Amino acid sequence: MNQPPLRLYVDSLYTSPYAMSVFVTLREKGLAFDLVTLDLDAAQNQTADFARLSVTQRVPTLVEGDFALSESSAITEYLDQAYPETAVYPADPKQRARARQVQAWLRSDLLPIRQERSTLVVFYGQKMPPLSADAQGAARRLISAAQALLAGNPSYLFGEWCIADVDLAVMLNRLILNGDSVPTELVAYAERQWCRPSVQEWVNLRRPAL
Ligand SMILES: N[C@@H](CCC(=O)N[C@@H](CS)C(=O)NCC(=O)O)C(=O)O
């Protein structure tokens, strides 16, 4: 395929679930890209150059020629429109909208889980203390929403794999990989998403020691 050069900025620990979502999308679509890491602890995302590119000073940021875009779900939606050959969203408009709903919800809600089960659990095998009452409430909401979305235990949210499956599996794995209680059918669902080669590639990136 003749494509403009693509560059993806991600965090140097490879722990950003948002960067992972874009990385997996690029891999699923078979698009060549350069992966550039920024050390967020050293504030490399706050340099003037990156601020100009990203607007938000956050990773992930995708650069395609003279176009740069941040916000992971905006990037994955853009890539799906610009490079439609292999889709990462459902074709059906209602299912596609539902996939966007799941992505937006995972990014805007469940804050206590994101705070108390950072992705260091998922990508560095760290173990965190027991969940607070707030986080237990968020975990209950996550589990009941996931069970409703996955009623009948399908392999994927919408019949075929889509990028929202990866995002949901990361959120479930914040709990599962810490040893928190999650129903077995959701554990099996998360494991299924984790086996995907594009996901394994991100999981197995060589991470610096902390
Ligand atoms: N809603 C954003 C979240 C991006 C985000 O939170 N990025 C974090 C890394 S996980 C970041 O760049 N943090 C650095 C900072 O905010 O200074 C997305 O989906 O891309």
Side-chain angles (χ1 to χ4, degrees):
M1 193 198 306
N2 217 352
Q3 59 161 90
L6 295 171
R7 189 161 73 248
L8 177 64
Y9 289 88
V10 304
D11 63 304
S12 56
L13 300 182
Y14 306 118
T15 54
S16 167
Y18 316 111
M20 175 186 185
S21 195
V22 177
F23 177 96
V24 167
T25 294
L26 288 163
R27 280 290 187 256
E28 291 286 336
K29 288 181 170 293
L31 296 168
F33 62 99
D34 288 328
L35 191 63
V36 180
T37 58
L38 296 181
D39 183 343
L40 302 183
D41 293 328
Q44 286 183 340
N45 56 314
Q46 290 171 21
T47 62
D49 281 352
F50 186 69
R52 201 173 318 108
L53 268 185
S54 64
V55 180
T56 58
Q57 302 183 24
R58 288 183 143 195
V59 294
T61 293
L62 179 80
V63 179
E64 181 198 55
D66 59 3
F67 176 62
L69 187 66
S70 58
E71 286 297 317
S72 57
S73 59
I75 299 171
T76 53
E77 287 181 31
Y78 168 72
L79 289 170
D80 217 38
Q81 276 198 301
Y83 303 95
E85 199 169 326
T86 303
V88 298
Y89 285 94
D92 173 74
K94 287 182 180 143
Q95 289 193 334
R96 195 176 173 97
R98 186 75 72 204
R100 288 170 168 156
Q101 176 190 346
V102 170
Q103 286 193 299
W105 170 64
L106 291 170
R107 283 158 175 72
S108 61
D109 197 355
L110 309 172
L111 182 62
I113 299 179
R114 284 184 276 130
Q115 286 173 331
E116 296 180 31
R117 294 291 179 265
S118 88
T119 52
L120 292 175
V121 168
V122 177
F123 300 114
Y124 273 88
Q126 284 196 359
K127 293 285 185 284
M128 307 285 171
L131 295 171
S132 66
D134 264 6
Q136 286 177 30
R140 279 194 295 275
R141 284 193 296 116
L142 168 63
I143 287 167
S144 84
Q147 285 177 321
L149 288 162
L150 293 163
N153 298 328
S155 295
Y156 305 108
L157 283 165
F158 306 110
E160 285 179 32
W161 175 87
C162 81
I163 193 61
D165 285 300
V166 174
D167 294 343
L168 181 56
V170 172
M171 188 59 88
L172 289 168
N173 270 341
R174 291 175 188 259
L175 301 175
I176 294 167
L177 299 178
N178 194 70
D180 299 305
S181 174
V182 172
T184 50
E185 74 276 12
L186 295 181
V187 174
Y189 165 81
E191 281 172 352
R192 195 174 307 119
Q193 313 317 319
W194 229 239
C195 290
R196 212 168 168 86
S198 56
V199 170
Q200 276 298 296
E201 206 185 323
W202 176 268
V203 170
N204 291 323
L205 284 168
R206 207 182 170 80
R207 292 181 169 77
L210 293 175

